[in-house]
Amino acid sequence: MTESFSFLGHSVNVNKLTKLDLEFGKILRKKRLHKKLTQEALSVDSGLSRAYISELEMGHKDPASLHYSNYLLR
């Protein structure tokens, strides 16, 4: 989810964390750890960067735009 505001006469979009983003991240981390995978190993398996997986787990990225969501939660 994004929110726009004006800063020095320019429109700025800011990502807002949602409960859904945070919950997805918690579930993703729990499943990854249950499978004894590192973020790096999940990165290789999914084709996503380790940094992106980290951001998903922290709730900093919106998983809704990922078609990988189902794969990551298997």
Side-chain angles (χ1 to χ4, degrees), residues 10-52:
H10 300 282
S11 180
V12 179
N13 290 325
V14 177
N15 288 333
K16 291 177 63 178
L17 298 179
T18 66
K19 281 188 171 184
L20 183 60
D21 298 337
L22 293 170
E23 284 303 310
F24 178 87
K26 288 179 188 177
I27 293 167
L28 175 59
R29 179 176 165 79
K30 183 177 177 180
K31 288 186 170 278
R32 177 180 61 78
L33 293 175
H34 178 75
K35 293 179 180 185
K36 297 180 174 38
L37 291 173
T38 62
Q39 288 179 344
E40 188 65 36
L42 182 57
S43 170
V44 170
D45 288 348
S46 66
L48 300 171
S49 74
R50 190 221 40 89
Y52 192 76

